[in-house]
Amino acid sequence: MPGSPAHDMAPLRAGSGWIIALGVVYVIAGFIALGSVVMATVASVFVVGVMMIIAGVAEVFNAFQIKTWGKFLVWALLGVLYIIAGFFAFENPLLAAAVLTLVLGASLVASGLVRIFLAFSMKRESPWIWVALSGVITLLLGGIILAHWPVSSVYTLGIFLGIDLIFAGASWIGLGFGLRRAATA
């Protein structure tokens, strides 16, 4: 019956082989990234640079949609800064990786501290210990990145990319096999 969950999943079930293949490609790419973390870091910086240029162009385009000069200038300046930062990432990817790694480490430390604070402000009946544990792990990860910065900037983004690709691939593979099992059931 159209609109039913079983009917909505039919196209996905039919393509489960492609979903599994996509997952395998992700896993292979993840291991390649972990095998060459410096190149994966540079690739990550290039992707960030492209996204910043695209965002900058969109900001500048959006500035021309605004009717007041003050807001126009702010949007246009923001867009130009994004574009410059994007080109900067292409011009000097290792320095851009150092900046991104520093921001990542600081963000993880801040996120860990906030989670720990939230965990201790939660009611004791709730599973606050898991929030606290998550906060401690995040805090430690950020601290390790910052303690080894700027050297860590050469490999940190590549390791994160590789791990992300492996986990994303594993989830696609799991989804594909789950769809196959559901189709045979």
Side-chain angles (χ1 to χ4, degrees), residues 5-184:
H7 180 67
D8 292 341
M9 297 296 285
L12 283 177
R13 284 192 195 110
S16 64
W18 288 106
I19 292 171
I20 293 169
L22 175 66
V24 170
V25 169
Y26 269 57
V27 169
I28 291 169
F31 281 113
I32 290 171
L34 289 178
S36 180
V37 292
V38 174
M39 289 306 296
T41 295
V42 171
S44 297
V45 169
F46 284 157
V47 168
V48 169
V50 167
M51 292 299 114
M52 291 179 84
I53 291 170
I54 291 170
V57 169
E59 293 283 347
V60 170
F61 178 76
N62 188 48
F64 288 102
Q65 310 302 317
I66 298 175
K67 306 296 183 215
T68 62
W69 271 104
K71 290 181 181 179
F72 166 80
L73 290 176
V74 170
W75 282 95
L77 179 63
L78 184 62
V80 168
L81 288 175
Y82 266 106
I83 293 168
I84 291 170
F87 281 114
F88 170 76
F90 286 114
E91 183 67 29
N92 196 339
L94 293 179
L95 183 57
V99 171
L100 290 171
T101 302
L102 182 63
V103 170
L104 174 65
S107 298
L108 289 172
V109 166
S111 175
L113 290 172
V114 168
R115 287 182 198 173
I116 292 168
F117 174 76
L118 288 173
F120 287 109
S121 67
M122 295 171 72
K123 294 183 179 189
R124 298 293 175 209
E125 309 81 56
S126 61
W128 66 273
I129 192 72
W130 292 108
V131 177
L133 181 62
S134 169
V136 168
I137 291 170
T138 303
L139 176 65
L140 288 174
L141 184 59
I144 290 169
I145 291 170
L146 292 177
H148 293 96
W149 187 85
V151 175
S152 64
S153 63
V154 176
Y155 57 83
T156 299
L157 298 176
I159 290 172
F160 276 43
L161 175 64
I163 291 170
D164 180 61
L165 287 169
I166 290 169
F167 276 94
S171 67
W172 282 117
I173 291 169
L175 175 66
F177 280 121
L179 289 168
R180 279 195 176 172
R181 275 193 300 277
T184 59

